[in-house]
Amino acid sequence: GHVLPTSNREWPNGRSSEGMSRENRPEMGIATEQSAKNKGLYLSFLESFDTGRLQAVETAAAAIFARNAQINASHPINEATDGTGYVDDVIAPIMVAFEGCTRQNYIVLGGEYLGTEWVTSTGYFHGYFSKPLYGIPPNGKLAFLRFGEFHRVEGGKIVESQVFLGLAELIIALGLWPLSPSQGYEGLVVGPATHDGINAAPSDAKRSRASADLVEGMLKKLTSENEAWRPDWHKRMVWYGPGGLGSYATIDAFAAFQRPFELTFEGWGDGSESGIKGVGAACKAGDGDYAFLSGWPMITGIHVKPFLGIEPTGKRVFMRDCDWWRCEDGKIIENWCMLDIPHLLMQLGYDVFSNLNTKNPVTAK
C-alpha cells in the first residue's frame, strides 16, 4: 500500500495518525458480478492495443469512453481533454514516441467502492524510443514506460479515469535524473510472481473480502512509530515503488525506506484542517487475492525534511498515489505502487522536465 504514507487517506481530521483512531474510514469494497462484466468490457478494449496501431485504439476507445469522460493523467498532462483525452493526450504521444509500441498488462482487476464500479490495469508500454515524449529526449533504444490506469464504469461506459505514468522511472533509466538518487532499486519491475494478475472471471467474495480487509488493516497502521504494519507483510515481501523512491525486498529493507519517508512529510492526512477538500481514495477494493487503490490526490503532508536533495519548503503537498497488492497465506507479499513524483516536485518549486541532466545525452541517429 502505498506504502507511501500516501496511502493514509481518509483520516478523520487529517492530523498525524499517532494515537488517533481511524476506524471511521470507509472499508474497501470488493469485486462484484458487475465488476466481472466491466472487466470483460475492459479486456476487450485492451485487445485493441495488440495491433500496435493507434487507429485501432482510437476506434475502440470511442466505443467505451463516454463523450464527457473526465480524464486525469500524470504531470505534465494533468487534466486531459474530456472524452477523447485518454487517446489524444496520453496514448497517442506514447505510441508516436515508441516505435513498434507494445502494451503489456500484468494486472487487470475490478471492484466496487462506495457505490461506484472501477476497473484497473498496470504494466508497461515499450518500444524503440525515437521521438521526444513529454519533453524527454529519445535515446534511440528500447525503452519501457510503466503505467497504471483506473477507470470508473457506468452503464458500460468509462466516465472517469486516473492514469499514472512512470515518467520519473523513464528519466532515471535514461540517465537524465537531475536530483539525488533513491536508496532503492531503480529499474524495470516485474508483474506478479504467480502470473495470475489478470483476473477476468468473477472472484470468490470471501477471498476478495479477506484481501481487502488485510490491506485496509495494514494501511490504517502506516505512520505508526512502532511500525505496527509489519505483521501484515510476508517476510519475502517486495514493494515495487515509483521512480525516485525505488523498490525494496524484505520487511527490514522496506522499513528502512518507509519510516524516513514518513518523517520527510508531517501531518499526513486529508488536509481537511487546512480547509482542503477532495483528498482520499476514489476507489479501493479486493478482487480475489489482489486489492487496488487510487486517489487523485490520495493524501497530503507538509514538507519538513530534505526530499531527493530538495531542502524543506514547509509547503503542504498533495500526492497522486495508487497501489495494487497481492496477498498470499494471509499476508501481503507483493505491492506495486505508483506516485506522480514530477507533480509532487512541481509543488516544491522544482520542474524535473526543464532540469533534465542532458549534458551527455544519448540521442537517436
Side-chain angles (χ1 to χ4, degrees):
H2 210 157
V3 328
L4 262 88
T6 108
S7 328
N8 292 346
R9 7 97 344 274
E10 298 154 355
W11 297 16
N13 350 325
R15 289 196 302 270
S16 153
S17 63
E18 265 74 43
M20 164 177 152
S21 162
R22 287 153 70 201
E23 294 311 305
N24 59 348
R25 267 169 49 144
E27 67 175 4
M28 282 198 176
I30 62 168
T32 63
E33 285 183 33
Q34 186 60 53
S35 307
K37 290 176 188 163
N38 290 346
K39 282 189 289 187
L41 274 175
Y42 184 45
L43 285 162
S44 296
F45 165 67
L46 292 176
E47 285 177 9
S48 67
F49 286 88
D50 296 348
T51 63
R53 288 172 46 247
L54 180 57
Q55 194 177 0
V57 179
E58 278 177 332
T59 303
I64 195 171
F65 279 85
R67 289 179 63 174
N68 60 345
Q70 277 193 304
I71 295 144
N72 290 303
S74 290
H75 183 75
I77 305 164
N78 300 303
E79 290 181 29
T81 310
D82 285 355
T84 61
Y86 172 78
V87 172
D88 295 351
D89 303 328
V90 182
I91 301 304
I94 294 168
M95 292 185 80
V96 168
F98 286 9
E99 283 183 45
C101 184
T102 299
R103 176 178 179 144
Q104 283 202 32
N105 304 295
Y106 291 158
I107 295 173
V108 179
L109 305 171
E112 179 274 335
Y113 179 58
L114 301 181
T116 59
E117 284 280 353
W118 293 77
V119 290
T120 178
S121 65
T122 185
Y124 278 94
F125 292 106
H126 55 82
Y128 178 83
F129 190 10
S130 63
K131 294 188 178 70
L133 178 63
Y134 306 123
I136 302 168
N139 65 344
K141 296 179 183 176
L142 173 63
F144 290 82
L145 177 64
R146 183 153 63 132
F147 69 83
E149 297 179 358
F150 297 82
H151 303 289
R152 181 162 64 87
V153 183
E154 280 182 8
K157 297 280 189 181
I158 292 171
V159 296
E160 179 185 349
S161 301
Q162 298 176 355
V163 184
F164 292 80
L165 298 174
L167 295 171
E169 293 169 54
L170 176 61
I171 290 166
I172 290 166
L174 296 170
L176 303 176
W177 187 244
L179 291 163
S180 301
S182 74
Q183 68 194 51
Y185 161 80
E186 294 280 9
L188 205 62
V189 304
V190 294
T194 43
H195 302 282
D196 60 357
I198 298 183
N199 200 358
S203 304
D204 177 73
K206 281 187 182 168
R207 280 172 71 188
S208 297
R209 175 48 60 198
S211 300
D213 290 350
L214 172 63
V215 171
E216 184 66 46
M218 181 278 297
L219 290 174
K220 285 184 177 181
K221 298 170 202 156
L222 286 177
T223 73
S224 55
E225 286 180 23
N226 61 354
E227 298 177 356
W229 45 265
R230 275 179 175 254
D232 296 325
W233 293 86
H234 196 287
K235 65 184 183 199
R236 289 192 292 122
M237 65 84 74
V238 184
W239 187 71
Y240 304 103
L245 299 183
S247 296
Y248 303 85
T250 75
I251 296 174
D252 287 347
F254 174 68
F257 153 77
Q258 173 67 11
R259 191 64 186 140
F261 178 80
E262 290 176 350
L263 297 172
T264 300
F265 299 89
E266 73 177 22
W268 287 111
D270 63 9
S272 55
E273 81 287 358
S274 306
I276 294 161
K277 294 186 171 67
V279 176
C283 59
K284 56 179 184 176
D287 186 357
D289 290 332
Y290 290 80
F292 63 89
L293 167 156
S294 181
W296 199 275
M298 180 75 234
I299 59 150
T300 162
I302 298 164
H303 178 217
V304 294
K305 290 192 177 177
F307 178 63
L308 298 176
I310 297 174
E311 289 303 310
T313 60
K315 291 180 178 173
R316 180 175 283 284
V317 296
F318 298 85
M319 299 192 191
R320 301 165 172 175
D321 166 56
C322 65
D323 290 271
W324 304 262
W325 297 267
R326 183 173 72 84
C327 306
E328 187 174 283
D329 300 328
K331 304 279 186 182
I332 302 163
I333 190 163
E334 290 185 288
N335 177 190
W336 297 261
C337 169
M338 295 186 74
L339 176 64
D340 191 351
I341 294 286
H343 176 253
L344 171 56
L345 291 168
M346 277 296 287
Q347 296 172 74
L348 302 180
Y350 190 89
D351 181 356
V352 173
F353 297 95
S354 62
N355 285 286
L356 296 179
N357 180 23
T358 52
K359 293 188 196 76
N360 306 300
V362 187
T363 49
K365 301 237 176 353

